[in-house]
Structure formats: C-alpha cells, structure tokens
Amino acid sequence: PAAINTLGMASLRLCAGLAGHRSRLCVRSLRTLSGMTVSQIVEEVAKLLKLKAQIGGDEGKHQFTLKTAKGTRDYNPKQMAIRERVFNTIIRCFKRHGAEPMDTPVFELKETLTGKYGEDSKLIYDLKDQGGELLSLRYDLTVPFTRYLAMNKITNIKRYHIAKVYRRDNPAMTRGRYREFYQCDFDIAGQYDPMIPDAECLKIVHEILSELELGDFRIKVNDRRILDGMFAVCGVPDDKFRTICSTVDKLDKMSWEDVKSDMIGQYVSMQGGMDLAERLLQDAKMSQSKQAYLQLFQVTDKVVFDLSLARGLDYYTGVIYEAILTQNGPVNVAATQNGVEEKAEEGVSSMAGGGRYDGLVGMFDPKGRKVPCVGVSIERVFSIMEPTWPRQQQCAFPG
Amino acid sequence: MINLGMASLRLYAGLVGCRSGSCARSLRTLSGMTVSQIDEEVAKLLELKVQLGGDEGRHQFTLKTAKGTRDYNPKQMAIREKVFNTIISCFKRHGAENIDTPVFELKETLTGKYGEDSKLIYDLKDQGGELLSLRYDLTVPFARYLAMNKVTNIKRYHIAKVYRRDNPAMTRGRYREFYQCDFDIAGQYDPMIPDAECLKIVHEILSELELGDFRIKVNDRRILDGMFAVCGVPDDKFRTICSTVDKLDKMSWEDVRSEMVKEKGLSEEAADQIGQYVSLQGGMDLAERLLQDAKMSQSKQACAGLTDMKQLFSYLQLFQVTDKVVFDLSLARGLDYYTGVIYEAILTQTGPVPVAAAQNGAGEKAEEGVSVGSVAGGGRYDGLVGMFDPKGRKVPCVGVSIGIERVFSIMEQKAEASAEKVRTTETQVMVASAQKNLLEERLRLTAELWNAGIKAEVMYKKNPKLLSQLQHCEDSGIPLVAILGEQELKDGVVKLRTVHSREEIDVSRAKLVEEIKRRTSDV
C-alpha cells in the first residue's frame, strides 16, 4: 500500500504537470488510485505519456531546444545585406555572359536522384513516406537541371540557378560547411565545338572570384579522361575506378600517406602547367586547345593543371575544375616541394567547382538522347565573407 | 539452368557496362551451381541493381516534378523577378529589414502551431538524427527567430517558399510548394497603428501590381470568439467552429451550417444565430452598430475587438485605403495563432460576370467571377513568440503574407495574351564574324567586352554562319552585333550593327567599348 501510494503521488504529479492548470481531473484520479493494481498504474502512466507526446509538450510552455536544425542557420538583416551584395555580383556576372535564370522545386522524386551521386547518395535527405510519392531534397542543382532539360526536350540553353541544396554531411560549421547551403550554378548545355563553353565557365569563375575580392585564388583543372587514362596505365581495375576517384578527391582533407596505400603513387602528386598534359597523354590535343582559349580569355594566371583533382561526383565525363582560396597569397614554393601533406596549411577552401557531364541528360531522356553539358557551381561564399561566424544560440530548457 | 545462367550473365553485363572482363568467368562456374545457389546469386544481383538505380544510361521512371510543384522556366523567372522587385520596393519603402530561415525546422518547433492544418506538414524521414519538418509558413519560423535571438522589436520581410501537403487544384494556382512574401512588425506599440500599416502595404502592393480590382476583408478574433460565445457555442468548440466558418468563401452557408451541426456537433440554434451575424459586412458603421447590438454587447471580448475595429478604420481613412477595405464578420482565417485583427485580400475579376455562371450558385463561385481566391492574408498574433520563449515572454506581432503564386499565374496569363516579347537575357552585344578562322579574334574581343562590364555573347562554333549569329540576336532580343572581318582587323576597326535597323558603322577598336556603353545607356 505504501508503494502504491508513492506511485500514486508520482502519477498525480505527472498528471498535474501534463494538464497544467486545467487539472480538475487529477483529484478524481487520486481517489481511484488506491483501488488500482501496479500493472494498471503502469498502463495509465504509459497512456498519459503517449498523450503528452501527442500534444507536443505543455501547451504554452517550451519543452524543447530553441534552435535551428543541425547544420542550418538563419540569416539576420546584416547577413542578408552581405548576401544580397554577393548575389548581385554573381548574378551580374552570369548575366554578362548571357545566361537565363531558372528555378526548380526543393524536392525531387526520389527516383530522379537515385543512382546519380555514387558514394555520396547516403548524404541525401529523404522525405518521410506519408502515403504519396517518395521524395528527396535536392543534393545539387545539376541533376534537377538535367531532369528539366530532358523533361522539356531542350537541346541548347545557357542558364544560371541560385538556390539552396541539402546534404546530410557531418558539417564542420566553423569552416562554413553546412547541411543547407546556397549554390550558384552556371551551365551551358548543347552540342558545340569543343572546349569553348568549358573555357567560358572558367572565365566566369575567374571573374566572380576576382570581383568578390576574397583574396588570391587558384583554379585547379584536370580531365576525367586523363584520370581514366592515368589509372588505366597504372593498372587500377575498372570496378575500383569510381572508388579510387573518390579517394583521390579527399587528398585535400587527408594526408597522402593515408591515401597512398590504395593508390597509384607518383602520378598524383604533381602540379604543373601545360607540359604535364603532353607528358602524360592521349587527350593532350584537347587540353591544348582549352589552354589556348584560356589565354585568350586572360585567365591563365590563376589556372593550374592538377592531376590530384578528382571531383568525387560520378557524372563528370570531361574537364573538371575546382577553385580554392589560397589564404596567404600565391602558393608557397616550399610547401609544394614538401608534397601533399602541407596542403592543409595553405588554407584550402573550395569556393567553386564543376566540369563537363555529357552523359547525365541521356540518363533521363526516354530515348537516351544525349545533351552535352558543362558548368560550374559557386558555393560557400558567405562564410568566407563574414569575418566572425555568429554562433547559433542554443537554449536548452529541461522539462 | 543454362538459361538462368545466360540471363544472369546478361544482367551482370548490363550492370557493369563494357568493363565486364569478369563475366566470362561467371558462366563457367554456373554449371556447378544448385538452384538455391542460383536464387541467391540472382537475389544479390537484383539488390545491386536496385542500388545502382536501374539500368545505367536508361530511364526507368517517370520524368516529372513532384506532385504540386513546378519548375520556373526563364520567361516565368523574368515575370517573377518583376513581381518581387515591386513587392520588395514596397516593403523597403516602409522600412523593413530582410531575414531568411532554413527550409526545415525541428519537428517540435512546428508542432502544435497550426491546429487542424498540422496534417498538411511535410515531415522528413527519420534518418537517425533530429526529426525535421519542412516549414509550413514563414510566421512560425519568424517567432522562433525572435525568441531565439531575444529580439523584441523588428520590422522584417521574408520572401521564400513554404510547403503544404494540400490537394492542390493546380489550375487555380494552388501548389504544394509555393512562395510567400511576408511582412511583419514585432513589438509592443500603441494599438492598431502597425496593424493599419500592414493593410496599407497590402493596398499598395495589389495596386502597383495592377491585377485588377480587389477587396480586403477585415475581422477580429475577439469579435469572432465573442460572437460564438453569445450565440451559444461551447468554449471547447470555438477553434473548430472557426475553421468551418472560414470555409464560407468556398462553400455555401447551407453546407457550412451542415458541417457545424453534423460534423462538429453544434446545436442547430447556435448555428442559426451564427448565420445571422456572418452575413454582415460594412465599415466603421457596422462596428458601431454591433457595439449597440443587444446580444453582441454582452461579450467584453467582442466589445474590445469592435472598439479596436473603429480605431483601425479611422487610421485606414488617414492612410486613404478605406475604398477597398470591408469589415466582414464571416472572415475566420483557419490558422490557430491569430489573437486580434485578421484580414484577407481577394481579387474581384474584372469585366462583366457571365450571367449563366452567376446563376449556378455558390458552388461555382470561382466561375462566377466573384473571387479567384485570396492573394494576401494576415493578422495579429500576440501569443506565438511567448510559446517559444523560455520565460514565456510575449512579443506582440502583426503581419501580412502575400500569396504570390496567384499573382504569378495572373501575370503569366497577361504576358501570354500580350504581344510584347519578354526578354530572358540582358545581353547587349553579340560578337560575330562572317569569315572563317576568326574564332580566336572573337574570343579575344568578347573577353575585352566582358572585362569592361559589357554583357556579350559569342557563338561556340569555330566557323559559324553570319546568318545564324544574326538569327540568335533576333531570337534573344540582343540589340547590337560587333562583326569582325579580316579587313576590319587590319584597319583596327569593328563593324557595329544595330539589329532592328540593320544599320552598320565602323568603330575603331579602341573606341568600341565607349560606343557600346553610350548606345546601351540610351535604351
């Protein structure tokens, strides 16, 4: 009886807590409690807790943490002002090159995104199955773009798209990596003479990064076909190819030693200029013509051939590039001589990336019709532009 | 068994494309496998196939956007940009700052805020982390932002997409993903002044967008609650009866009354008494009359609301917007969190109402041309921030949300009907040549123009025909062409051609940028 009374009192307190001031019911409960068995009490408590969960905690009082979702943030008015300035610069550049704007929904049919991102597919946010279509939040703006092209049977377009994308990363928020973040994409779709649109994409990266005045930068360029050729020469089995590509891509975050054990070795640690492509291979002619265009566009001062650039995403088929800010100005000569381990100290922050992806639209088109595409995606600009990153306030309130 | 082996082989080959050196090996071992081993292998392969997302290189699915969502093509974006510019310049005219929030919130942030509409919230799948939901509006995230940052006073606008698992009637411009443009004033102020400013903003925006005639219906939660009380609606049925009364703009009174009595369990008497009030519309005069009404004046709440309503109309007169504002007792606005004044703006279609349609009755309301749905709505919500604040501190808020999708639909229809061509790019100059082997020169000149900030395009062909380059200018609306030729290069000039007049003049290379800038600033 004493035990039951204690349980009864606990139950009463629980009941009172749940119902707040409208707890006239509770007095009744106490009277009947003396007649209840332990198992009946347990059942009642379970029911009450379920009810509490349903109504979402005490009405009128917070029962939860006041925060944004992990990896996401608000923009206050000051930050919005910076954002507006940055977007205006970027949009001005896109428009200068004759791009049209477009927009797509924040989520796509899950099947639209399936099979497009290789190993990164596990980072996609899915929506709950609520009885309708299975949906996922877009992971980038490129796959939606190719879906749009196939759906509308478009063969030629130069477009820009600025919107947020979603990745269930483990974000290093101090380095400005989030789960929800803006991408500013510029893409040219269509069958054209080789390398001209590719070179224009690089020109755009150069223009934007220069106009944003974020400091010195480098645009690393490589080519999937060169990588393929290189790996083939070094005897990487075909079925390991994509995995190795992703591993190589991590070179700017992991030390060479860690990567080396799976890897090919000396070919990947070189950086250099035009002679590199000639020395290594068969698509040298392609690379040369691109280099010539880059000279005409006056951007070769920042462009660097880098064989270690692999760009994890599966859908690239030709040229690939990545722009990084170099924290302390031009690349330190001693650092390059030390090898890849020193890369982190250079202050690597990837600002833009892209490449040619000729096979993606064909994956959507019912007849498999190809529309060659090349493009670039600018991201992470805000975190660089804001000197002090405001910490998200967290207020945890115990129930 | 051989057949199964061959099928397996083909499947495998399909999966890995051309790099199938190991396939031959598979066939040789197959003859030694049992049926169950084969089953196991097939199952493994099919699982792998699912992982790869179907046959590589071929579509296996429907090519579409999710239900209730749509893409915006460049023409639609051009319209959208114009509409946003009009709205944003209005918000800025009234001194509002801009903020943004994430597309999803913690599920618990949105729980308990939307009443009956909560079932329309999109949840994210539980993937092992926090439980998340897509935002349903911009108001609750705003209240969360205020509490989180301990902000007590702010005037802010926020334009972004929100998500509702409605059954959208997409032909009427209702979607599951759609833009809202919100303007809100948070802070403790003298009554009704900020509320009146919100209505002034709705009036300005709808007028400037030139969508045709509109009405702004105004009511007050306190008046509604007071009315329910004096009509005999039990306390615990207030909110649910409110939701039903709100449907009066879509359903007939008979149907609404039926729902109140049959579904919500209201007495017929109470329903009839409500019926007498909700048909009333007017201005300050109606508020005055109701204050004198024997039944209504019994409710302190209603009287407070009616007094404020009179105050509101006096400010609206000063703001010169009373021509479009109507005090309408049937306005109930579904959302739970309103505590004071509520309003909704509807477009009244221009032009004569087709007689046949008008005779069809309320079910056909849309076709009557009486209204094409609401284009803006809002109200006062004093209790919402307190639900988030740890100490329950209240921050009174009032705001308005512009239903911009309806506006887009209308503007798109107008654009289609008009002969005027909408440009989707802003390119000023096409860099072209009639002769072969001048790609390098074209690229060099284009880069010079870009470096000077001029919007220029060049065709991605080594030797394009002049005609196709000129055609591109016609199609895109590009006004100028800079034509390079061997002779011109030798002479250090560029032929500058005006597309619509076909006039051409030679301009020196050195003066080209200046000349282009001069001409494009005239436009």
Side-chain angles (χ1 to χ4, degrees), chain B residues 346-382:
Chain B
I346 52 163
L347 294 182
T348 56
Q349 235 176 36
T350 50
V353 174
V355 174
Q359 286 171 343
N360 285 339
E364 303 266 88
K365 233 172 161 178
E367 280 71 37
E368 274 178 23
V370 171
S371 84
V372 286
S374 79
V375 285
R380 176 160 283 286
Y381 52 103
D382 288 347

Side-chain angles (χ1 to χ4, degrees), chain A residues 64 100 111 133 193 200, chain B residues 61 64 108 424 460 462:
Chain A
F64 51 79
E100 307 177 290
E111 51 190 56
E133 303 160 318
D193 288 347
E200 184 166 8
Chain B
F61 51 77
K64 62 192 278 287
E108 52 192 55
T424 54
Y460 302 130
K462 290 193 177 129

Side-chain angles (χ1 to χ4, degrees), chain B residues 19 83 166 238 245-246 272 297 306 314 369 382 431 496 505 513:
Chain B
R19 303 194 183 117
V83 172
D166 248 328
F238 271 24
V245 170
D246 189 39
D272 287 332
S297 54
L306 288 164
S314 72
D382 288 347
V431 175
L496 192 57
I505 60 161
V513 167

Side-chain angles (χ1 to χ4, degrees), chain A residues 74-77, chain B residues 99 141-151 154:
Chain A
D74 296 320
Y75 287 80
N76 65 35
Chain B
I99 76 166
F142 175 52
R144 191 264 309 139
Y145 172 91
L146 293 179
M148 207 168 119
N149 297 284
K150 298 187 180 357
V151 174
I154 188 174

Side-chain angles (χ1 to χ4, degrees), chain A residues 173-384:
Chain A
M173 271 170 67
T174 43
R175 289 218 215 126
R177 292 189 69 172
Y178 285 81
R179 289 182 163 187
E180 173 191 66
F181 58 94
Y182 266 101
Q183 280 194 330
C184 307
D185 274 29
F186 172 93
D187 292 73
I188 299 170
Q191 185 66 50
Y192 300 115
D193 288 347
M195 286 300 157
I196 313 175
D198 311 49
E200 184 166 8
C201 286
L202 288 167
K203 172 68 173 167
I204 281 171
V205 177
H206 191 283
E207 277 181 24
I208 289 176
L209 293 183
S210 305
E211 275 175 61
L212 289 176
E213 295 180 339
L214 300 167
D216 196 31
F217 61 92
R218 282 294 169 274
I219 308 173
K220 302 190 280 184
V221 180
N222 197 356
D223 194 301
R224 252 292 156 70
R225 293 162 297 178
I226 296 176
L227 269 176
D228 277 12
M230 192 172 75
F231 288 156
V233 160
C234 301
V236 170
D238 287 333
D239 59 344
K240 296 242 181 299
F241 180 77
R242 290 281 165 264
T243 315
I244 299 243
C245 250
S246 299
T247 309
V248 169
D249 196 30
K250 292 170 188 155
L251 263 178
D252 56 3
K253 303 177 200 70
M254 285 161 53
S255 81
W256 173 242
E257 289 309 311
D258 288 337
V259 173
K260 200 164 156 188
S261 48
D262 303 319
M263 283 300 315
I264 357 168
Q266 63 261 41
Y267 289 108
V268 180
S269 65
M270 293 174 193
Q271 285 193 14
M274 278 185 74
D275 43 40
L276 179 61
E278 279 163 330
R279 194 159 46 160
L280 273 184
L281 72 135
Q282 45 262 47
D283 288 302
K285 198 171 167 206
M286 260 331 144
S287 311
Q288 272 181 318
S289 69
K290 174 165 87 269
Q291 201 71 357
Y293 298 150
L294 295 178
Q295 267 164 7
L296 292 165
F297 283 160
Q298 303 165 40
V299 298
T300 49
D301 58 330
K302 310 283 192 195
V303 176
V304 163
F305 235 115
D306 186 343
L307 270 179
S308 73
L309 177 66
R311 296 287 296 156
L313 289 173
D314 262 16
Y315 50 65
Y316 291 116
T317 56
V319 69
I320 50 180
Y321 35 81
E322 184 171 316
I324 54 158
L325 285 190
T326 55
Q327 231 170 39
N328 303 308
V331 172
N332 194 314
V333 173
T336 39
Q337 283 170 347
N338 287 338
V340 176
E341 286 95 309
E342 301 278 279
K343 245 176 154 178
E345 275 70 55
E346 283 176 21
V348 180
S349 12
S350 167
M351 303 287 305
R356 176 160 285 285
Y357 51 104
D358 288 346
L360 201 51
V361 178
M363 285 178 83
F364 286 106
D365 185 87
K367 297 195 175 144
R369 267 177 306 220
K370 285 194 162 193
V371 175
C373 297
V374 65
V376 64
S377 188
I378 318 268
E379 52 179 86
R380 224 166 272 144
V381 245
F382 308 122
S383 42
I384 310 289

Side-chain angles (χ1 to χ4, degrees), chain B residues 167-193:
Chain B
N167 267 327
M170 271 171 66
T171 43
R172 290 209 215 140
R174 290 187 70 175
Y175 290 86
R176 288 182 163 186
E177 174 192 64
F178 58 95
Y179 265 102
Q180 280 196 329
C181 299
D182 276 28
F183 171 93
D184 291 74
I185 300 171
Q188 184 67 50
Y189 300 113
D190 288 346
M192 289 300 155
I193 313 177

Side-chain angles (χ1 to χ4, degrees), chain B residues 280-293 306 309-314 317 322 325-329:
Chain B
L280 298 175
Q281 288 184 0
M284 201 189 298
D285 57 311
L286 175 60
E288 185 55 58
R289 225 170 70 218
L290 289 170
L291 275 169
Q292 312 294 338
D293 181 88
L306 288 164
M309 188 61 70
K310 282 176 64 180
Q311 181 75 281
L312 179 67
F313 268 89
S314 72
Q317 258 162 16
T322 48
V325 182
V326 162
F327 173 22
D328 183 336
L329 275 169

